[in-house]
Short mmCIF file of all heavy atoms in Angstrom, two decimals:
data_model
loop_
_atom_site.label_atom_id
_atom_site.label_comp_id
_atom_site.label_asym_id
_atom_site.label_seq_id
_atom_site.Cartn_x
_atom_site.Cartn_y
_atom_site.Cartn_z
N LEU A 32 -10.35 19.04 -1.84
CA LEU A 32 -10.73 18.47 -3.13
C LEU A 32 -9.77 18.87 -4.25
O LEU A 32 -9.82 18.29 -5.34
CB LEU A 32 -12.17 18.86 -3.48
CG LEU A 32 -13.21 18.28 -2.51
CD1 LEU A 32 -14.60 18.83 -2.82
CD2 LEU A 32 -13.21 16.76 -2.55
N ARG A 33 -8.87 19.81 -3.99
CA ARG A 33 -7.85 20.22 -4.97
C ARG A 33 -6.49 19.59 -4.68
O ARG A 33 -5.49 19.99 -5.28
CB ARG A 33 -7.70 21.73 -4.96
CG ARG A 33 -8.79 22.43 -5.75
CD ARG A 33 -8.51 23.90 -5.79
NE ARG A 33 -9.55 24.40 -4.95
CZ ARG A 33 -9.68 25.56 -4.38
NH1 ARG A 33 -8.82 26.44 -4.52
NH2 ARG A 33 -10.65 25.91 -3.63
N GLN A 34 -6.42 18.65 -3.78
CA GLN A 34 -5.15 18.04 -3.42
C GLN A 34 -4.58 17.19 -4.55
O GLN A 34 -5.32 16.63 -5.36
CB GLN A 34 -5.33 17.16 -2.18
CG GLN A 34 -5.62 17.92 -0.91
CD GLN A 34 -4.43 18.77 -0.48
OE1 GLN A 34 -3.34 18.29 -0.24
NE2 GLN A 34 -4.68 20.07 -0.35
N THR A 35 -3.25 17.08 -4.59
CA THR A 35 -2.59 16.21 -5.56
C THR A 35 -2.69 14.75 -5.13
O THR A 35 -2.46 13.86 -5.94
CB THR A 35 -1.11 16.60 -5.71
OG1 THR A 35 -0.48 16.57 -4.42
CG2 THR A 35 -0.98 18.00 -6.32
N TYR A 36 -3.01 14.51 -3.87
CA TYR A 36 -3.19 13.16 -3.32
C TYR A 36 -4.69 12.92 -3.24
O TYR A 36 -5.42 13.67 -2.59
CB TYR A 36 -2.56 13.09 -1.92
CG TYR A 36 -2.42 11.69 -1.38
CD1 TYR A 36 -1.27 10.96 -1.62
CD2 TYR A 36 -3.44 11.10 -0.64
CE1 TYR A 36 -1.12 9.67 -1.11
CE2 TYR A 36 -3.30 9.81 -0.14
CZ TYR A 36 -2.14 9.11 -0.38
OH TYR A 36 -2.00 7.84 0.11
N TYR A 37 -5.17 11.87 -3.91
CA TYR A 37 -6.61 11.67 -4.06
C TYR A 37 -7.22 10.61 -3.15
O TYR A 37 -8.44 10.53 -3.04
CB TYR A 37 -6.94 11.28 -5.51
CG TYR A 37 -6.52 12.31 -6.51
CD1 TYR A 37 -5.40 12.12 -7.31
CD2 TYR A 37 -7.23 13.49 -6.64
CE1 TYR A 37 -5.01 13.07 -8.23
CE2 TYR A 37 -6.86 14.46 -7.55
CZ TYR A 37 -5.75 14.24 -8.35
OH TYR A 37 -5.37 15.19 -9.23
N ASN A 38 -6.41 9.78 -2.53
CA ASN A 38 -6.93 8.64 -1.78
C ASN A 38 -7.28 9.05 -0.35
O ASN A 38 -6.54 8.79 0.59
CB ASN A 38 -5.94 7.48 -1.79
CG ASN A 38 -6.57 6.19 -1.32
OD1 ASN A 38 -7.79 6.08 -1.20
ND2 ASN A 38 -5.74 5.20 -1.06
N PHE A 39 -8.42 9.74 -0.21
CA PHE A 39 -8.86 10.19 1.11
C PHE A 39 -10.38 10.18 1.19
O PHE A 39 -11.08 10.12 0.18
CB PHE A 39 -8.32 11.59 1.43
CG PHE A 39 -8.83 12.69 0.54
CD1 PHE A 39 -10.02 13.34 0.82
CD2 PHE A 39 -8.11 13.07 -0.58
CE1 PHE A 39 -10.49 14.35 0.01
CE2 PHE A 39 -8.57 14.09 -1.40
CZ PHE A 39 -9.76 14.73 -1.11
N HIS A 40 -10.85 10.21 2.43
CA HIS A 40 -12.28 10.31 2.71
C HIS A 40 -12.44 11.29 3.87
O HIS A 40 -11.79 11.13 4.90
CB HIS A 40 -12.86 8.94 3.09
CG HIS A 40 -14.35 8.95 3.24
ND1 HIS A 40 -15.20 8.71 2.19
CD2 HIS A 40 -15.13 9.18 4.32
CE1 HIS A 40 -16.45 8.79 2.61
NE2 HIS A 40 -16.43 9.08 3.90
N VAL A 41 -13.28 12.29 3.70
CA VAL A 41 -13.48 13.33 4.71
C VAL A 41 -14.76 13.04 5.48
O VAL A 41 -15.81 12.83 4.88
CB VAL A 41 -13.59 14.73 4.07
CG1 VAL A 41 -13.74 15.80 5.15
CG2 VAL A 41 -12.41 15.03 3.17
N VAL A 42 -14.66 13.05 6.79
CA VAL A 42 -15.83 12.93 7.66
C VAL A 42 -15.97 14.27 8.39
O VAL A 42 -15.19 14.58 9.29
CB VAL A 42 -15.68 11.77 8.67
CG1 VAL A 42 -16.89 11.72 9.59
CG2 VAL A 42 -15.50 10.45 7.94
N VAL A 43 -16.95 15.06 7.96
CA VAL A 43 -17.23 16.34 8.59
C VAL A 43 -18.24 16.09 9.69
O VAL A 43 -19.32 15.54 9.45
CB VAL A 43 -17.81 17.35 7.57
CG1 VAL A 43 -18.22 18.64 8.26
CG2 VAL A 43 -16.82 17.62 6.45
N VAL A 44 -17.89 16.46 10.92
CA VAL A 44 -18.79 16.29 12.05
C VAL A 44 -19.35 17.67 12.39
O VAL A 44 -18.69 18.48 13.02
CB VAL A 44 -18.08 15.66 13.26
CG1 VAL A 44 -19.09 15.39 14.38
CG2 VAL A 44 -17.36 14.37 12.86
N ASP A 45 -20.56 17.91 11.92
CA ASP A 45 -21.23 19.20 12.12
C ASP A 45 -21.97 19.18 13.44
O ASP A 45 -22.99 18.52 13.59
CB ASP A 45 -22.19 19.46 10.95
CG ASP A 45 -22.87 20.81 11.06
OD1 ASP A 45 -22.53 21.60 11.95
OD2 ASP A 45 -23.76 21.07 10.23
N HIS A 46 -21.44 19.91 14.42
CA HIS A 46 -22.06 19.95 15.73
C HIS A 46 -22.44 21.38 16.10
O HIS A 46 -22.43 21.78 17.26
CB HIS A 46 -21.13 19.32 16.80
CG HIS A 46 -19.86 20.09 17.00
ND1 HIS A 46 -19.61 20.82 18.13
CD2 HIS A 46 -18.77 20.25 16.22
CE1 HIS A 46 -18.42 21.39 18.05
NE2 HIS A 46 -17.90 21.06 16.90
N GLY A 47 -22.82 22.16 15.09
CA GLY A 47 -23.10 23.58 15.31
C GLY A 47 -24.57 23.90 15.45
O GLY A 47 -25.44 23.08 15.19
N THR A 48 -24.82 25.12 15.88
CA THR A 48 -26.19 25.58 16.02
C THR A 48 -26.66 26.28 14.75
O THR A 48 -27.84 26.33 14.46
CB THR A 48 -26.31 26.56 17.21
OG1 THR A 48 -25.35 27.60 17.03
CG2 THR A 48 -26.05 25.84 18.51
N GLU A 49 -25.71 26.83 13.97
CA GLU A 49 -26.05 27.46 12.69
C GLU A 49 -26.02 26.38 11.61
O GLU A 49 -25.05 25.66 11.46
CB GLU A 49 -25.01 28.54 12.36
CG GLU A 49 -25.24 29.22 11.03
CD GLU A 49 -24.14 30.21 10.72
OE1 GLU A 49 -23.67 30.89 11.65
OE2 GLU A 49 -23.75 30.30 9.55
N LYS A 50 -27.10 26.24 10.89
CA LYS A 50 -27.19 25.20 9.87
C LYS A 50 -26.23 25.52 8.72
O LYS A 50 -26.29 26.58 8.12
CB LYS A 50 -28.63 25.10 9.35
CG LYS A 50 -28.86 23.95 8.44
CD LYS A 50 -28.72 22.64 9.18
CE LYS A 50 -29.02 21.49 8.26
NZ LYS A 50 -28.41 20.26 8.69
N VAL A 51 -25.34 24.60 8.45
CA VAL A 51 -24.41 24.73 7.33
C VAL A 51 -25.00 23.98 6.15
O VAL A 51 -25.40 22.82 6.27
CB VAL A 51 -23.02 24.16 7.70
CG1 VAL A 51 -22.08 24.25 6.51
CG2 VAL A 51 -22.43 24.90 8.90
N ASP A 52 -25.06 24.64 4.99
CA ASP A 52 -25.63 24.02 3.79
C ASP A 52 -24.54 23.24 3.06
O ASP A 52 -23.62 23.81 2.50
CB ASP A 52 -26.20 25.11 2.88
CG ASP A 52 -26.82 24.54 1.61
OD1 ASP A 52 -26.99 23.30 1.51
OD2 ASP A 52 -27.13 25.34 0.71
N PHE A 53 -24.66 21.92 3.10
CA PHE A 53 -23.70 21.06 2.43
C PHE A 53 -24.25 20.52 1.11
O PHE A 53 -23.67 19.62 0.52
CB PHE A 53 -23.32 19.88 3.34
CG PHE A 53 -22.48 20.28 4.52
CD1 PHE A 53 -23.03 20.35 5.78
CD2 PHE A 53 -21.14 20.59 4.36
CE1 PHE A 53 -22.25 20.71 6.87
CE2 PHE A 53 -20.36 20.96 5.44
CZ PHE A 53 -20.92 21.01 6.70
N SER A 54 -25.34 21.07 0.62
CA SER A 54 -25.98 20.54 -0.59
C SER A 54 -25.10 20.65 -1.83
O SER A 54 -25.25 19.86 -2.76
CB SER A 54 -27.33 21.23 -0.84
OG SER A 54 -27.14 22.62 -1.10
#
Side-chain angles (χ1 to χ4, degrees):
L32 296 174
R33 280 185 250 164
Q34 292 293 302
T35 56
Y36 192 91
Y37 300 106
N38 194 12
F39 65 86
H40 186 89
V41 183
V42 178
V43 175
V44 185
D45 183 6
H46 65 109
T48 54
E49 178 183 322
K50 188 66 177 156
V51 177
D52 180 10
F53 289 105
S54 64

